[in-house]
Amino acid sequence: MKKWILLALLCYSIPTLAQNREDSTTAEWQAGVELDVLPFALGGYFGASWIGKDRFRLRVLTANVHKPDITTDRAFTHHHIYAYALVADYFLKPGWKGWWVGTGPVFWQSSIISKSSGAEAGFHNWLWNGSVGHHFPIKKRFYFSPWAGLSFRIAGNKNTAVGPDHFTLPVVNPEISVKMGFIF
């Protein structure tokens, strides 16, 4: 419940603060913060900060995600991920507006439970993410950005023993959500 209150306060306060700011395209270097809706909706969190110039930006992010069972191998449940990433983005238009593409390394520290035995195991993986989205500016400095991406497993635990079962993180992991952000 506290996470939903925090999200509601952020949604209410950022546009109000942004009304008194100058246009976000005037500064040479800019910075911002983002929240992603889906991890909050699933009982986790997502936070990112970024710095950028012209059409490029560099994001650092962390997330706590409880993957829904429908996205996990049927023999397992409670796939929980702590994710950390460094992502470079490029915007097709200036002013942090319109379409963007991004890529970068992601580290997942995960745990999962076997449905048959109830055993739990932890594992980690390195992935490479590619994503695309669209920034919709609201009140000059606030924006929302629907996005989709694919994370490709490149290293880490491939075949994790979970009691008598074995879990393998898929090579390709799709993602889709909506980010909300603020440009300082």
Side-chain angles (χ1 to χ4, degrees):
M1 182 64 172
K2 291 178 186 178
K3 293 175 189 169
W4 286 106
I5 293 170
L6 174 65
L7 187 60
L9 287 172
L10 182 70
C11 291
Y12 174 76
S13 64
I14 288 178
T16 305
L17 292 170
Q19 287 176 339
N20 299 324
R21 300 289 185 142
E22 61 189 51
D23 188 356
S24 63
T25 62
T26 60
E28 211 172 290
W29 281 94
Q30 292 184 308
V33 293
E34 292 181 332
L35 295 176
D36 194 303
V37 174
L38 187 59
F40 279 96
L42 297 174
Y45 60 79
F46 173 101
S49 59
W50 59 266
I51 187 166
K53 181 178 179 182
D54 298 325
R55 296 179 185 199
F56 293 95
R57 73 176 183 177
L58 188 63
R59 283 186 290 143
V60 177
L61 65 90
T62 184
N64 173 351
V65 179
H66 304 279
K67 287 189 73 167
D69 283 350
I70 62 170
T71 65
T72 304
D73 181 320
R74 283 187 257 177
F76 300 93
T77 187
H78 293 91
H79 188 182
H80 184 224
I81 301 168
Y82 288 100
Y84 310 92
L86 179 64
V87 180
D89 296 325
Y90 176 76
F91 284 80
L92 301 181
K93 293 182 179 179
W96 316 115
K97 297 175 185 172
W99 290 100
W100 58 269
V101 294
T103 189
V106 181
F107 179 75
W108 281 6
Q109 183 66 45
S110 302
S111 64
I112 199 160
I113 296 174
S114 167
K115 285 183 180 177
S116 66
S117 67
E120 182 175 0
F123 59 98
H124 68 276
N125 293 99
W126 283 96
L127 300 99
W128 195 267
N129 177 269
S131 51
V132 62
H134 193 284
H135 268 235
F136 293 96
I138 301 172
K139 305 239 183 186
K140 296 184 182 176
R141 294 196 175 264
F142 180 71
Y143 61 88
F144 75 96
S145 184
W147 67 278
L150 295 174
S151 291
F152 299 91
R153 185 190 57 182
I154 57 174
N157 300 119
K158 187 174 180 182
N159 195 15
T160 303
V162 188
D165 301 312
H166 286 83
F167 177 77
T168 300
L169 184 72
V171 173
V172 179
N173 296 273
E175 303 171 80
I176 188 167
S177 192
V178 176
K179 294 179 186 162
M180 297 181 303
F182 181 74
I183 302 171
F184 294 110

